[in-house]
Amino acid sequence: MKRKTSPLFSPEIRSYLLIGGLFFFTLIFVVSCTTTKERISRPSVAVKQLPDIKPSVPSLGPQAQPGKTVQFKCNDESSKMFNASGVDATPFARLAFYDFDGDGVEDMVVGGKEGDLLLFKNIGTQERREWALVKGYFSGINANAFSSPAIGDIDNDGMAEVVLGTGGFSSESGRIHIYKNNGTASKPLWVKSNAGEISIGNDAVPALVDLNNDGRPDIVAGNSEGRLFAFINETSKAKVRFKKDNGYFRNINAGTYAAPAAVVRDGSVLVIVGNSMGKVYSLEKPGRTKAFGGRKQLGISTTSFAAPAFMGGRKGTKDLILTDGIGEFHYFKNSDGDYINWEHDSNFLQGRVFAGPALSPAVNDLKIRSCIVLGNIAGDLSLYEYDGSRKLVPWNERSGYFKGIKLPGFSKGLLTEWRGVTVLITGQQDGILRAFYNRGGDDSPDWVEEKNFFRNIPKIMHAAPALFDIDGDSVQELIVGDSEGRIHGFKIADLSDALPEWKPLYSIFDNVSVQRFAAPSVYSDGQDVFLVVGQQDGRLQVFRSTTNSGVLAPFKRHEALPDIRVREHSSPSVKFRNGAVELSVGDYNGNLRYYVCRNAEAR
């Protein structure tokens, strides 16, 4: 069955990712994911909220004293809430599969734009895979940027070697290094071999396969220009050695950023290669012939930067995993065993909430349920609803809920209500805040933009908005982070107007500044108000405002939360429930973390 994944990124966004480029808040009253005819107030029915991990923990409200620092201890509960697969999102991932410990199931090696390698051990079976990260397994191996692994026993000593391709914008790009394991399979000691330099231009992606039927794995590699190269294994016991042979891939170009995978089947060598446009081709070298035939396009693809890897399938055949530029893994079964007709299977990484890079979450407690709105680098928005009956993770995507809404980039958004109508509020890269009214219903939303909703608020570059009633008057204020790491505040001047008129809040955020790309979220413990701000390096900064005779003091830096750090561009959404601070944090790679932080002194 042929399948093409739907485009997530425009060519412009793909170009942005290629050169290294690698928002959301509610208004007033209670946040909702449902369309109603009346203003939503305190619900009269039970609220189905995110589960409390330990509801017996006492509330900090009556214990804490205004201005007193309460230290929290945070637990990472991401695997229960957002990612049960055990595998993080990795843009530009490059994979290899190999049975390192001889237990009969292949483990997964992941390289990517960070330059390192990660080993995920399959603690399940070859048919029902479960992945567990083995920390530090490839310590000592790093490509500086854009690592591409291939694994095999090059010198027939019974131990696997690592063939590492390098990429990115460094002097090392386009080289292939070989690492030997001088330790054991369980306690490896990786040492770069004396193989000499193998260089193929820029962005080397290697694969291993026996090209000449001598029983030893040779190297097939692609580069950024789309060229394919062959290096024949001439390794002896004394030295690892490969010799370039131009006779295998004459006059063949697979498209820019060629990424090959290779396998021997029925005496022939088959190479499947992806490229930066997401296209996938096959090339075959029959029997005893040397040269590969012309490329044939397969009926599978990704949005960008397709990179295939073969993985053990059924009855001795190989299945295919395609990774792409945004961090998705696409699993295709070789059901017919012909390596031509591939059947898509969505169960490879089950239980992972993923919506693309530069992930910005907004968790909302609803009238009858909870939901989360996710924005990303491409300007898309998606809605997930909480469903505690689901296996693995308790979220169900409402596909197409924001149909027709496409923002310029780095979107962030959430749902609220204004005068009985559900409103989607968004921020985006170019600094414009926008509001969309739902003129349909919750089952069939129809979004219409109200362009005058923020008419008197100027552009705030990389606008990352949030909403919270910071002064306790039952009207929520608008808090917006910008690209320079500052926070801006606005208050509705007159609630009787048909559209809100916003006036700036002065002085309260004067002491707040973070390391660029501020992404704010706010909570209160019943006495003080806390501002949690994400920033470019992935850390979270916390600021506190205390009350004195009903007057809110300017926010000042606060050290209650431990040093939580995700990948670059942290974007938090924070809630305070039953004495616990719950943090949902997106990062640049597209991962979504969930931390539960409790009073370290509470018993």
Side-chain angles (χ1 to χ4, degrees):
M1 178 177 69
K2 296 183 178 181
R3 179 186 184 270
K4 180 172 181 176
T5 57
S6 59
L8 178 60
F9 291 104
S10 65
E12 292 78 8
I13 294 293
R14 289 200 299 265
S15 298
Y16 176 77
L17 287 168
L18 171 59
I19 64 174
L22 230 128
F23 228 14
F24 109 29
F25 56 91
T26 52
L27 288 177
I28 62 176
F29 311 108
V30 176
V31 179
S32 171
C33 275
T34 58
T35 300
T36 63
K37 296 181 179 180
E38 298 179 353
R39 175 179 298 165
I40 295 177
S41 58
R42 184 179 299 275
S44 58
V45 295
V47 177
K48 188 176 182 181
Q49 297 180 336
L50 300 183
D52 297 310
I53 305 302
K54 291 183 179 180
S56 61
V57 175
S59 171
L60 290 178
Q63 300 177 22
Q65 300 175 7
K68 179 183 177 181
T69 297
V70 177
Q71 296 297 327
F72 284 83
K73 180 180 180 180
C74 298
N75 293 320
D76 188 342
E77 303 283 351
S78 304
S79 63
K80 297 179 181 179
M81 187 59 69
F82 296 123
N83 187 1
S85 74
V87 180
D88 282 350
T90 305
F92 304 100
R94 301 291 183 262
L95 308 183
F97 292 88
Y98 193 85
D99 181 7
F100 282 91
D101 53 10
D103 64 354
V105 294
E106 291 178 321
D107 307 310
M108 179 170 62
V109 182
V110 181
K113 69 182 184 66
E114 309 298 336
D116 55 358
L117 294 181
L118 300 175
L119 175 65
F120 291 90
K121 179 172 174 54
N122 184 359
I123 58 176
T125 66
Q126 195 64 29
E127 291 74 30
R128 297 181 64 86
R129 302 170 183 87
E130 296 180 46
W131 304 106
L133 175 64
V134 181
K135 295 183 178 179
Y137 191 85
F138 293 111
S139 179
I141 299 178
N142 196 288
N144 295 320
F146 292 92
S147 53
S148 296
I151 313 294
D153 185 2
I154 289 172
D155 53 7
N156 289 326
D157 65 350
M159 296 284 286
E161 280 75 48
V162 174
V163 179
L164 186 71
T166 64
F169 303 96
S170 72
S171 58
E172 290 290 312
S173 180
R175 298 180 182 180
I176 298 174
H177 303 291
I178 299 171
Y179 291 84
K180 287 184 60 65
N181 182 4
N182 288 347
T184 64
S186 60
K187 294 183 179 180
L189 177 62
W190 299 103
V191 178
K192 188 182 290 188
S193 76
N194 57 355
E197 181 173 298
I198 300 176
S199 182
I200 61 171
N202 287 311
D203 295 276
V205 180
L208 288 173
V209 69
D210 185 1
L211 287 171
N212 56 3
N213 198 31
D214 67 352
R216 297 185 294 185
D218 308 302
I219 294 175
V220 173
N223 73 1
S224 62
E225 296 178 349
R227 297 178 60 193
L228 295 173
F229 302 83
F231 296 88
I232 301 304
N233 189 347
E234 296 183 349
T235 297
S236 65
K237 291 185 178 180
K239 185 177 182 179
V240 174
R241 183 174 184 270
F242 285 85
K243 182 179 180 180
K244 186 177 181 180
D245 191 325
N246 293 324
Y248 286 90
F249 296 105
R250 293 185 183 277
N251 303 315
I252 293 177
N253 191 289
T256 55
Y257 294 89
V263 66
V264 175
R265 59 129 186 183
D266 299 330
S268 298
V269 179
L270 181 69
V271 172
I272 291 183
V273 56
N275 63 28
S276 63
M277 296 304 294
K279 296 179 180 180
V280 182
Y281 299 96
S282 68
L283 303 93
E284 188 167 2
K285 185 182 80 68
R288 297 182 179 276
T289 61
K290 183 173 185 178
F292 280 83
R295 70 183 195 186
K296 297 178 181 178
Q297 186 169 352
L298 297 177
I300 56 177
S301 65
T302 69
T303 56
S304 63
F305 294 93
F310 282 115
M311 179 179 68
R314 291 171 292 182
K315 299 179 180 179
T317 64
K318 295 287 186 178
D319 292 338
L320 194 68
I321 303 292
L322 285 181
T323 57
D324 59 27
I326 67 171
E328 288 199 272
F329 291 53
H330 309 273
Y331 176 30
F332 295 91
K333 288 184 176 181
N334 187 12
S335 298
D336 296 337
D338 59 4
Y339 295 85
I340 296 174
N341 296 301
W342 299 93
E343 178 186 355
H344 181 257
D345 188 327
S346 60
N347 293 323
F348 180 67
L349 291 182
Q350 295 185 78
R352 186 173 76 161
V353 175
F354 179 77
L359 193 64
S360 61
V363 176
N364 305 324
D365 290 334
L366 323 178
K367 185 176 181 180
I368 57 173
R369 63 193 187 280
S370 293
C371 72
I372 184 169
V373 180
L374 301 176
N376 65 20
I377 193 174
D380 300 311
L381 292 170
S382 55
L383 179 74
Y384 286 77
E385 294 178 338
Y386 179 76
D387 182 356
S389 67
R390 291 179 61 85
K391 296 180 180 179
L392 301 178
V393 294
W395 297 98
N396 181 46
E397 183 178 7
R398 286 284 303 274
S399 181
Y401 191 83
F402 297 118
K403 182 179 179 181
I405 298 177
K406 178 73 172 179
L407 305 180
F410 291 91
S411 56
K412 193 168 187 178
L414 65 82
L415 298 164
T416 186
E417 185 186 272
W418 177 255
R419 303 208 176 282
V421 178
T422 299
V423 182
L424 170 70
I425 305 300
T426 66
Q428 58 194 42
Q429 181 180 9
D430 61 7
I432 298 176
L433 295 168
R434 301 168 71 178
F436 299 85
Y437 286 13
N438 183 4
R439 299 300 187 186
D442 187 54
D443 293 333
S444 300
D446 180 17
W447 301 101
V448 179
E449 184 172 6
E450 174 48 72
K451 296 186 177 181
N452 292 319
F453 205 87
F454 297 108
R455 61 194 182 281
N456 59 326
I457 294 182
K459 282 187 177 182
I460 301 173
M461 298 308 295
H462 270 270
L467 250 197
F468 196 82
D469 178 14
I470 60 177
D471 57 6
D473 65 353
S474 300
V475 178
Q476 291 182 312
E477 283 71 45
L478 169 63
I479 303 106
V480 187
D482 70 16
S483 60
E484 299 301 317
R486 298 181 297 248
I487 300 294
H488 308 263
F490 302 90
K491 186 176 181 63
I492 298 177
D494 189 348
L495 291 176
S496 65
D497 291 344
L499 292 173
E501 181 178 349
W502 303 93
K503 66 177 183 179
L505 291 175
Y506 297 104
S507 74
I508 192 172
F509 298 111
D510 287 355
N511 300 323
V512 179
S513 179
V514 300
Q515 186 219 54
R516 294 180 57 80
F517 300 102
S521 188
V522 187
Y523 75 93
S524 173
D525 65 0
Q527 293 179 330
D528 298 333
V529 179
F530 297 84
L531 175 67
V532 182
V533 187
Q535 60 185 29
Q536 186 175 20
D537 69 357
R539 285 189 169 94
L540 299 178
Q541 302 291 345
V542 182
F543 302 83
R544 179 176 62 181
S545 176
T546 59
T547 57
N548 185 7
S549 300
V551 178
L552 203 64
F555 283 91
K556 294 183 180 180
R557 194 174 294 275
H558 187 61
E559 304 297 334
L561 293 179
D563 185 17
I564 293 176
R565 185 172 185 174
V566 298
R567 295 288 187 178
E568 294 84 358
H569 291 267
S570 52
S571 180
S573 179
V574 60
K575 296 291 180 183
F576 185 81
R577 277 191 283 258
N578 294 330
V581 177
E582 301 176 14
L583 288 160
S584 301
V585 188
D587 69 16
Y588 196 86
N589 279 4
N591 294 298
L592 191 54
R593 303 287 188 198
Y594 179 66
Y595 301 92
V596 180
C597 306
R598 300 183 180 87
N599 184 354
E601 299 175 359
R603 296 183 179 180

